Amino acid sequence: MTAAEQTAEDRPVTEVLAWSRSLLDPALREAVETLPASIRSIADYHFGWRDEQGRPVEGGAGKAIRPALVLLAAEAVGGDPAEAVPAAVAVELAHNFSLMHDDVMDGDTVRRHRPTAWNVFGVNSAILAGDALLMLAFDVLAASGHPLLGEGMRRLGAAVAELLDGQRADMGFERRADVGLEECLRMAEAKTGALLGCSSALGGAFGGGAPDQVKRLDGFGRRLGLAFQMVDDLLGVWGDPAVTGKPGHSDLRNGKKSLPVVAALTSGTPAGEELAAFYRAGGPPAGADLDRVAGLIVQAGGRSWCRTRADELLSDALRELWLARPGQRPAAELGMLARHSVRRDH
C-alpha cells in the first residue's frame, strides 16, 4: 500500500463526504434562504431539509459528490478549500436544478425514498423552483468576490449548456429505434460528465491551480462523470429500490435508451435482435416484460460491456488526476471518492 493510500484509509469516504458537507451545508442553506418564500419551501423539501408541511426533517439530502470534488480539487492544487466553497455551492445548486427538471421530464414520482418535488407541489411549481436554483448558482459565484469568478461563471454556464444538450438528446433517444452507441456515449458525457468536469476544474481554479492542472482536473471529472453515468444506468435497470430510492427497472419503465440498453441493441447478437424487435413493436416494457427485457440486455452483453467500460474510464480518470500533479492526501481522497462512485453497483 502506498503512503497516499494509507492516508486515504485513515479518512474513509464517509468521513470525506461528511467533511465536505460540513463546509457546504451552511453556505448552501444561507443561499437558499435568500429565495422567495414560495420557492424556498419547494427547495427546502427537495434538499430534504423539510417535509411537505414545512416541518424540519433530518437526512435525505444526498451524498453531494460534486461539491466534494470542488473542495478536494482546491486542496489538491495547494489551495484552501474554504476559498472554493462558493463554487461548491454553485455546482450543487446547478445539479439540483437538473434533478428537479429531470424528475418532471421523466415522470419520476420518487427520489431519495420520498415523493419528488413535482409530485408534491405540482409540475409548474417544481419547474420554477429548479429555474430559481440555477439562477441562484450564478448569483452565489457572482457574490463570492473571487478573482476568478468571471471564469467560474463562464465555465459553469458552458457545463450547464452541455448538460442541457445531453438531456435533450437523452429524451430524443426515447422516440428513436436507431440510437448508436457512440452518440449515446456523447450524450452521457454531456449529461453527466460536463458538470463533474466543471466541478473538479472549478475547484482547481478557485484553489489557485495552474491552467494545465485545471485542464487535467476537468479531464478527470469528465471521465469520472461518464463512468458515473454508466453505473447510474446499470442501477436504473438492476438497482435495488431500497438503495436507489426509485422503483425497480425504473429506466426501462421510462423507455430510456441508456448505455446498457443501447450496447445490447447494437451488439449484433440474437438477444440484441430480439430486444430490438421488442422496442420496435411498442412502447416501454411493463409488468412481466420488464424482467424479460432486462434479461435480454444481459444476454446481449449490455450489462457486462457497461461495467467493463466504467472500470476503464475510472482508470483513465485516475491517470488524468495523477497528471495534474496534485498533493498527496487530497489526491488519494479524490481517487478513493472516484472508485467509490464507480463501484456503487458492486
Side-chain angles (χ1 to χ4, degrees), residues 281-298:
D289 285 335
L290 288 165
D291 287 333
R292 176 186 166 218
V293 167
L296 288 172
I297 296 169
V298 173

Side-chain angles (χ1 to χ4, degrees), residues 168-181 183-184 186-187 255-257 261-262 265 276 279-280 282:
R168 181 212 54 79
D170 189 23
M171 294 181 66
F173 290 171
E174 295 173 24
R175 301 186 297 273
R176 287 174 47 193
D178 60 341
V179 179
L181 190 54
E183 63 177 330
C184 194
R186 289 194 297 271
M187 174 276 293
K256 290 285 186 185
K257 297 292 196 316
V261 174
V262 174
L265 287 170
Y279 274 101
R280 286 194 298 267

Side-chain angles (χ1 to χ4, degrees), residues 40-51:
R40 187 172 66 245
S41 62
I42 303 171
D44 285 348
Y45 173 84
H46 171 78
F47 279 113
W49 301 335
R50 295 184 181 272
D51 66 13

Side-chain angles (χ1 to χ4, degrees), residues 54-104:
R55 297 171 298 203
V57 294
E58 294 293 331
K63 294 180 179 178
I65 297 291
R66 290 155 189 82
L69 290 177
V70 173
L71 299 172
L72 285 172
E75 199 171 15
V77 297
D80 180 357
E83 292 294 316
V85 166
V89 171
V91 298
E92 183 67 355
L93 288 167
H95 173 56
N96 280 276
F97 141 78
S98 73
L99 294 183
M100 293 186 80
H101 283 208
D102 279 359
D103 287 342
V104 170

Side-chain angles (χ1 to χ4, degrees), residues 195-211:
L195 191 55
L196 266 77
C198 175
S199 299
S200 301
L202 275 179
F206 275 54

